[in-house]
């Protein structure tokens, strides 16, 4: 199979049979090979869907050393199984997986014990679900993982020796964020690009925001697979349109962004809303059609649960349609925030967004000090969501109005 060809179901969902980034990968193939062949690479969060797809793409260019960090021990086992079982040979001299939390003491000690710096560091570790916006403590966990641990990583890499390039994945929800998760990823971008933090100017730094990844871990489409296997109804937000890329495309995009993106920029796919935004109800229909089934739509949870057996006999599957009214949910997708400049540059299917720092350069370092205080065990007052929102808004003032609050949570739904 051509590495740029998409599986049949993915092709139906994204509306193309080859990767959206084929031209860019082919155009820059020699450059990528020159950069990656023989290199030492550290991949953090490599057991996740996007991290693994990027790892698989990068390893085609024969790096010398690849170390993969992830706290998901089972996921790391599957990474090795998938790579060793694939038709393509593993083109690296040393492939090592380690079950570390990248913010924990074992990882810090292991990193300090390495005898050579890495050429490239790719970070995919994140708490990335809007549904995690439940209470101040889960929001604090997002801030610790998405922001503070990244800053601590900078200090560890600086002691080891500056990498040539560093990449950290972001999200479309970081553009004009309406959720706490999106806001934490916007703050992550500040942690990457703010000039008065630990990153050295000798390291080129990039990020990427992009669309929903079809069939990725934790995605709506993966939930459909799991619900079906368990004999349960599927669920789908009604009247909701989203951009999609395939699993393979997510790895292609991140590879291009990590190795070729302009320094201190965020890479975004040049998707056209008129052509590429798709209705989730249509995606559910295409997904079921691939299995020879038709959707049976309903707005009633009890009805959806009760209808599974009868629907299956008729060659149908129940799909519960839900309103888009839970905390943090954004009714539309965008890759570029207010005031940000976009350039196409050397890519055919990618744009790059220049970093837009806070108007006052002192607010982000002050936020980091405040965040360390929030995480202290010696707090006198209980933490509240309002306190966290106000702290975030000090760095991102528009978030005070754009945050989409709701008493309803996805945990209360199918």
């Amino acid at each position: 199979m051509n590495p740029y060809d998409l599986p049949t179901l993915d092709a139906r969902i994204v509306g193309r049979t080859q990767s959206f980034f084929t031209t860019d990968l082919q155009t820059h193939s020699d450059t990528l090979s020159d950069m990656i062949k023989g290199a030492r690479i550290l991949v953090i969060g490599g057991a996740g869907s996007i991290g693994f797809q990027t790892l698989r793409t990068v390893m085609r260019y024969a790096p010398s050393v690849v170390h993969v960090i992830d706290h998901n021990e089972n996921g790391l086992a599957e990474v090795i199984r998938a790579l060793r079982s694939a038709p393509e040979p593993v083109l690296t001299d040393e492939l090592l997986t380690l079950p570390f939390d990248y913010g924990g003491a074992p990882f810090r000690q292991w990193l300090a014990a390495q005898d050579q710096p890495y050429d490239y560091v790719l970070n995919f570790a994140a708490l990335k679900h809007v549904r995690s916006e439940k209470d101040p403590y889960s929001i604090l966990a997002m801030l610790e993982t998405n922001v503070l641990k990244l800053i601590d990583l900078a200090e560890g890499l600086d002691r080891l020796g500056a990498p040539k390039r560093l990449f950290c994945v972001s999200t479309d929800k970081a553009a004009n964020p309406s959720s706490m998760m999106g806001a934490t990823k916007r703050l992550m971008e500040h942690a990457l690009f703010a000039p008065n933090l630990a990153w050295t100017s000798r390291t080129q730094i990039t990020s990427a925001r992009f669309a929903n990844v079809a069939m990725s871990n934790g995605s709506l489409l993966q939930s459909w697979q799991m619900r079906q296997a368990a004999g349960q109804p599927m669920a789908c937000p009604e009247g909701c349109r989203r951009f999609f890329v395939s699993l393979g495309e997510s790895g292609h995009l991140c590879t291009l962004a990590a190795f070729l993106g302009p320094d201190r920029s965020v890479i975004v796919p040049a998707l056209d809303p008129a052509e590429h935004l798709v209705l989730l109800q249509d995606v559910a229909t295409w997904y079921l059609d691939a299995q020879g089934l038709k959707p049976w739509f309903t707005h009633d949870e009890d009805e959806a649960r009760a209808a599974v057996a009868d629907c299956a006999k008729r060659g149908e599957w129940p799909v519960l349609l839900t309103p888009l009214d839970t905390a943090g949910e954004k009714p539309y997708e965008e890759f570029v925030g207010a005031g940000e400049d976009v350039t196409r540059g050397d890519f055919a299917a990618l744009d790059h967004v220049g970093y837009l720092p806070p108007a006052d350069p002192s607010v982000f370092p002050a936020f980091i000090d405040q965040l360390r205080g929030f995480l202290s065990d010696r707090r006198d007052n209980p933490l509240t969501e309002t306190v966290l929102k106000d702290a975030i808004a000090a760095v991102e003032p528009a978030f005070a109005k754009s945050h989409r609050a709701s008493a309803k949570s996805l945990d209360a739904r199918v």
Side-chain angles (χ1 to χ4, degrees):
M1 180 178 175
N2 186 312
Y4 307 128
D5 289 344
L6 302 185
T8 302
L9 179 57
D10 289 8
R12 183 70 181 94
I13 291 167
V14 302
R16 48 190 173 267
T17 59
Q18 273 204 337
S19 171
F20 190 64
F21 311 107
T22 298
T23 298
D24 288 319
L25 287 166
Q26 291 175 334
T27 299
H28 299 287
S29 177
D30 290 344
T31 303
L32 287 169
S33 182
D34 289 344
M35 294 176 72
I36 298 172
K37 188 173 182 179
R40 291 174 53 84
I41 300 177
L42 175 65
V43 181
I44 300 169
S49 301
I50 299 167
F52 172 68
Q53 292 297 326
T54 306
L55 171 64
R56 191 169 72 166
T57 302
V58 167
M59 288 186 65
R60 293 185 181 124
Y61 296 98
S64 176
V65 173
V66 177
H67 293 162
V68 186
I69 307 301
D70 203 296
H71 61 81
N72 183 348
E73 184 182 23
N74 291 336
L76 287 175
E78 186 54 33
V79 164
I80 293 297
R81 290 171 184 145
L83 291 174
R84 296 294 184 190
S85 303
E88 344 161 291
V90 174
L91 301 175
T92 185
D93 299 326
E94 180 179 321
L95 173 60
L96 180 65
T97 62
L98 295 154
F100 295 149
D101 174 350
Y102 91 112
F107 170 71
R108 291 195 297 272
Q109 293 181 23
W110 175 84
L111 188 66
Q114 300 309 298
D115 58 3
Q116 294 181 59
Y118 292 98
D119 296 299
Y120 306 105
V121 177
L122 282 59
N123 179 24
F124 300 91
L127 288 177
K128 61 179 184 178
H129 283 288
V130 173
R131 69 167 56 240
S132 294
E133 189 171 326
K134 296 179 174 72
D135 55 45
Y137 308 103
S138 55
I139 296 166
L140 188 61
M142 285 193 284
L143 287 165
E144 182 183 34
T145 297
N146 297 348
V147 184
L148 195 56
K149 289 180 180 180
L150 180 62
I151 291 173
D152 292 341
L153 174 66
E155 296 171 357
L157 290 174
D158 187 57
R159 287 191 292 269
L160 177 64
K164 297 174 184 176
R165 293 184 71 98
L166 168 78
F167 170 80
C168 193
V169 72
S170 187
T171 170
D172 59 283
K173 294 176 178 63
N176 303 320
S178 65
S179 66
M180 286 289 188
M181 187 281 287
T184 68
K185 294 297 273 186
R186 175 58 182 152
L187 292 167
M188 181 222 75
E189 294 174 1
H190 290 311
L192 276 175
F193 301 132
N196 47 357
L197 291 176
W199 303 111
T200 170
S201 59
R202 289 172 292 153
T203 298
Q204 294 191 332
I205 303 174
T206 58
S207 186
R209 301 172 186 161
F210 50 97
N212 296 269
V213 181
M215 304 301 177
S216 61
N217 293 340
S219 67
L220 180 64
L221 275 69
Q222 187 198 50
S223 80
W224 293 345
Q225 289 180 313
M226 297 171 74
R227 299 288 71 75
Q228 238 187 329
Q232 298 167 352
M234 294 161 45
C236 176
E238 186 171 21
C240 179
R241 294 182 180 274
R242 291 288 187 256
F243 289 111
F244 278 94
V245 295
S246 71
L247 274 169
E249 286 177 319
S250 72
H252 298 161
L253 189 160
C254 289
T255 299
L256 291 164
F259 292 92
L260 301 176
D263 187 26
R264 269 65 175 180
S265 68
V266 180
I267 305 303
V268 300
L271 295 169
D272 180 0
E275 181 182 357
H276 298 118
L277 270 177
V278 293
L279 189 67
L280 288 183
Q281 290 152 256
D282 290 341
V283 177
T285 300
W286 302 333
Y287 168 80
L288 289 170
D289 182 64
Q291 302 167 70
L293 297 169
K294 295 184 181 301
W296 184 79
F297 293 111
T298 177
H299 295 87
D300 186 283
E301 282 194 17
D302 291 335
E303 189 176 53
R305 283 189 286 263
V308 173
D310 287 341
C311 280
K313 292 175 184 176
R314 302 193 303 266
E316 297 176 336
W317 203 265
V319 180
L320 176 68
L321 297 176
T322 61
L324 196 69
D325 61 355
T326 52
E329 285 292 343
K330 204 169 185 177
Y332 54 89
E333 287 189 319
E334 56 189 335
F335 301 121
V336 182
E340 293 180 330
D341 293 327
V342 186
T343 315
R344 178 60 53 86
D346 296 331
F347 297 118
L350 292 166
D351 293 327
H352 52 88
V353 180
Y355 171 57
L356 182 65
D360 180 352
S362 69
V363 294
F364 186 69
F367 170 80
I368 295 303
D369 290 340
Q370 194 175 16
L371 178 55
R372 293 191 189 278
F374 292 153
L375 287 161
S376 170
D377 292 333
R378 296 185 296 274
R379 283 185 53 80
D380 296 327
N381 301 313
L383 193 65
T384 67
E385 186 171 336
T386 300
V387 168
L388 290 172
K389 181 175 177 177
D390 289 346
I392 293 169
V395 183
E396 290 288 319
F399 187 65
K401 293 183 178 179
S402 65
H403 178 224
R404 185 183 172 95
S406 174
K408 298 179 180 179
S409 166
L410 286 170
D411 281 359
R413 290 203 175 134
V414 168

